[in-house]
């Protein structure tokens, strides 16, 4: 198993190019199932989750030609509609094939994803919505078995909670359903918007893109013909590099970003004392020596993203004063707290709120990554800590950060990937 050895205290400088968004690419790859022709996707991030989902497509019979950032996918040859446990258990987002497989083939079996480190993460809202579109769903042997032999029918869906994956699954299912589907309380994250635009560009009429109210006129079973899609920049990767600048008190420039998508993080960094030069597709951060504390609550887009909570906690740990961080989306997304405390942080948890008292110094130690974003918080804290930190179990990082150590090294960080000796 690999780990990262980081010697803290180095200033960063220069520029970093942000990769395509993992969370945009995953639903877009799943959406290619709605087509029986070749689709080309570009600006894919070079991360494990993307390779896992592409592998699932090949297991279903699709033809995939994938280099680092480009994939040509032809799902005309799909001969199986079963997404097996071996893949789904590696990556929850595989559940995104449920809607498109059912819509195109009238049946499918997808392994239940189960829980994960950040909480229970049920898929009840996905299933309930598909049932209102006429699907018959049964859970048996750890699999969701879904059938709609005469195709799905448009329906009025009201989500009890805003769900990104649920909205994406239903938009994809609705694209091939008979008639119109409306989704109330839809997610409006930029990744959902790009999926809707891809489907709309293929000729499906979608109203309300980027709002909480979507209306989709399905094709009645006719597969779609997609244009080439260039994946949007990863707003979470971008936010993480802004935090890397802030935590090391360094000025760095991010290229190929969409500043509009990271407003919530920029606002919070400004409240902590950082300043920025912003153009259409690049951002330079100018930090301050003494970061101010921050209060934040995670919420749906355009609010502060749960996927940036851990990284901001790493910043709060060295801020001058006490910060309050409340996690509203996932019940168990504080696994990084005890690891940050091992580096010298002073964090107290009460329910879904963390009280973070800023400390003068962090000190390098051995720490363990627990989930994707928690891992990046540990890397950030290590960049600011005195001495050497070993961040273990970095397979979490490899799922979602494209060449993190390469990009940080190029900015001047002392970070090396090593192999455990046992
Ligand atoms: C997506 C992102 C993830 C991000 C999350 C919230 C991808 C691949 N992942 O995850 O990085 O942290 O959005 O922005 O895009 N819920 C239910 N029932 C359901 C579905 C969801 O109760 O059927 C709950 C979840 O447990 C959670 C909340 O709704 O509390 C939001 O989850 P959701 O938006 O669905 O997250 P994901 O799509 O899994």
């Amino acid at each position: 198993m690999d780990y990262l050895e980081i010697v803290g205290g180095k200033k960063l400088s220069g520029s970093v190019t942000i990769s395509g968004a993992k969370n945009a690419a995953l639903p877009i790859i799943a959406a290619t199932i709605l087509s029986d022709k070749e689709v080309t996707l570009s600006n894919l991030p070079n991360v494990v989750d993307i390779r896992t989902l592409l592998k699932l497509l090949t297991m279903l019979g699709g033809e995939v030609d994938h280099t680092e950032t480009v994939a040509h996918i032809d799902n005309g040859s799909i001969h199986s509609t079963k997404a097996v446990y071996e893949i789904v258990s590696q990556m929850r987002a595989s559940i995104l094939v449920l809607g498109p497989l059912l819509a195109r083939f009238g049946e499918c079996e997808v392994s239940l994803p189960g829980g994960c480190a950040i909480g229970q993460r049920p898929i009840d809202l996905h299933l309930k919505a598909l049932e209102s579109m006429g699907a018959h769903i049964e859970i048996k042997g750890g699999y969701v078995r879904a059938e709609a032999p005469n195709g799905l029918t448009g329906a009025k869906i009201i989500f009890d909670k805003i769900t990104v994956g649920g909205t994406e699954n239903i938009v994809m299912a609705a694209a091939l359903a008979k008639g119109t589907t409306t989704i109330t309380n839809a997610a409006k994250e930029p990744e959902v918007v790009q999926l809707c635009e891809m489907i709309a560009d293929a000729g499906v009429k979608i109203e309300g893109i980027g709002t909480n109210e979507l209306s989709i006129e399905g094709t009645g079973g006719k597969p779609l013909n997609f244009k080439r899609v260039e994946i949007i920049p990863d707003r979470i990767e971008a936010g993480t590099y802004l935090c890397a600048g802030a935590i090391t008190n360094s000025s760095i420039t991010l290229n190929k970003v969409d500043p509009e998508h990271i407003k919530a993080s920029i606002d919070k960094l400004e409240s902590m004392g950082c300043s920025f030069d912003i153009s259409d597709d690049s951002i330079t951060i100018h930090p301050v020596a003494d970061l101010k504390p921050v209060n934040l609550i995670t919420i749906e887009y355009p609010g502060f993203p749960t996927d940036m909570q851990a990284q901001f906690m790493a910043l709060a740990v060295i801020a001058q004063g006490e910060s309050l961080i409340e996690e509203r989306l996932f019940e168990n997304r504080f696994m990084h707290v005890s690891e940050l405390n091992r580096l010298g942080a002073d964090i107290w948890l009460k329910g879904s709120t963390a009280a973070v008292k800023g400390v003068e110094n962090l000190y390098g130690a051995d720490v363990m990554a627990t989930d994707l974003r928690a891992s990046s918080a540990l890397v950030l804290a290590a960049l600011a800590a005195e001495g050497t930190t070993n961040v273990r179990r970095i397979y979490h990082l490899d799922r979602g950060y494209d060449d993190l150590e390469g990009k940080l090294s190029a900015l001047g960080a002392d970070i090396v990937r090593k192999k455990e000796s046992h």
Side-chain angles (χ1 to χ4, degrees):
M1 229 188 272
D2 292 356
Y3 67 99
L4 290 175
E5 185 185 272
I6 301 165
V7 181
K10 301 275 182 295
K11 280 260 182 198
L12 307 184
S13 62
S15 62
V16 56
T17 300
I18 300 305
S19 299
K22 167 181 87 72
N23 287 354
L26 292 172
I28 282 173
I29 291 170
T32 64
I33 294 173
L34 298 170
S35 173
D36 56 1
K37 307 248 168 18
E38 185 176 294
V39 190
T40 299
L41 309 179
S42 63
N43 201 33
L44 291 167
N46 191 9
V47 297
V48 172
D49 273 7
I50 297 300
R51 295 194 281 278
T52 305
L53 192 56
L54 291 172
K55 181 166 168 209
L56 175 56
L57 290 188
T58 50
M59 286 169 81
L60 299 176
E63 279 174 25
V64 176
D65 174 8
H66 178 216
T67 54
E68 284 182 4
T69 57
V70 178
H72 305 282
I73 303 169
D74 189 340
N75 285 325
S77 50
I78 285 186
H79 51 69
S80 160
T81 55
K82 182 168 180 173
V84 294
Y85 175 75
E86 288 67 30
I87 295 282
V88 182
S89 59
Q90 282 175 44
M91 185 186 60
R92 280 187 47 84
S94 330
I95 197 67
L96 291 170
V97 300
L98 179 64
L101 278 177
L102 182 61
R104 180 157 157 224
F105 298 101
E107 55 160 31
C108 66
E109 269 186 87
V110 179
S111 173
L112 275 174
C116 73
I118 64 171
Q120 216 187 354
R121 298 183 85 175
I123 53 160
D124 56 316
L125 302 174
H126 303 227
L127 302 185
K128 203 172 136 206
L130 289 171
E131 278 175 336
S132 14
M133 297 175 76
H136 175 72
I137 291 180
E138 166 176 69
I139 311 264
K140 225 175 176 181
Y143 279 78
V144 178
R145 295 185 186 182
E147 273 182 12
N150 301 317
L152 294 167
T153 318
K156 284 197 166 97
I157 313 287
I158 302 174
F159 279 125
D160 294 342
K161 249 187 188 179
I162 296 182
T163 156
V164 172
T167 304
E168 290 164 345
N169 242 332
I170 300 313
V171 165
M172 293 187 276
L176 298 199
K178 280 190 250 20
T180 303
T181 299
T182 56
I183 308 178
T184 301
N185 219 14
K188 54 180 181 186
E189 270 66 4
E191 297 77 19
V192 178
V193 168
Q194 188 171 34
L195 174 71
C196 289
E197 282 169 350
M198 169 196 192
I199 293 174
D201 275 354
V204 174
K205 192 166 168 216
I206 306 186
E207 279 171 15
I209 296 180
T211 74
N212 292 125
E213 197 81 36
L214 290 169
S215 157
I216 304 124
E217 266 178 42
T219 63
K222 191 167 164 277
L224 306 182
N225 197 354
F226 290 116
K227 297 189 183 130
R228 185 186 172 103
V229 180
E230 181 174 346
I231 305 298
I232 56 170
D234 194 314
R235 63 194 167 101
I236 306 301
E237 190 196 20
T240 304
Y241 282 99
L242 291 182
C243 290
I247 207 163
T248 56
N249 191 19
S250 307
S251 193
I252 59 172
T253 298
L254 279 51
N255 291 323
K256 253 182 128 174
V257 281
D258 190 334
E260 196 58 32
H261 293 168
I262 47 176
K263 266 190 167 161
S265 294
I266 290 176
D267 276 3
K268 288 296 170 193
L269 284 167
E270 270 172 348
S271 76
M272 296 179 88
C274 300
S275 58
F276 299 90
D277 292 329
I278 302 179
S279 78
D280 284 351
D281 63 354
S282 82
I283 306 178
T284 299
I285 177 168
H286 308 291
V288 280
D290 296 324
L291 283 170
K292 289 186 217 142
V294 66
N295 289 337
L296 60 87
I297 298 173
T298 65
I299 195 158
E300 294 87 4
Y301 189 83
F304 187 87
T306 173
D307 286 351
M308 284 302 300
Q309 179 255 104
Q311 300 88 317
F312 269 75
M313 195 177 298
L315 286 186
V317 152
I318 57 152
Q320 306 258 311
E322 187 163 329
S323 302
L324 284 178
I325 297 183
E326 186 182 340
E327 173 58 55
R328 290 227 181 133
L329 288 186
F330 294 109
E331 72 270 22
N332 194 22
R333 206 169 198 180
F334 279 136
M335 311 272 282
H336 41 286
V337 167
S338 49
E339 299 301 299
L340 286 170
N341 283 346
R342 285 176 58 75
L343 295 172
D346 185 356
I347 310 170
W348 284 94
L349 269 183
K350 192 159 185 252
S352 57
T353 302
V356 186
K357 227 187 232 169
V359 294
E360 282 286 305
N361 282 308
L362 296 173
Y363 300 96
D366 281 282
V367 289
M368 211 175 264
T370 48
D371 71 61
L372 175 56
R373 306 305 169 185
S375 323
S376 62
L378 298 178
V379 171
L380 291 173
L383 293 176
E386 268 180 32
T388 304
T389 300
N390 294 313
V391 182
R392 306 198 186 269
R393 297 204 184 164
I394 53 162
Y395 52 84
H396 293 290
L397 275 177
D398 293 337
R399 285 188 35 220
Y401 282 93
D402 189 345
D403 191 21
L404 182 72
E405 73 270 21
K407 289 186 183 187
L408 281 174
S409 294
L411 289 169
D414 186 342
I415 176 169
V416 194
R417 179 180 288 254
K418 293 199 161 169
K419 288 233 175 289
E420 303 277 4
S421 52
H422 50 276

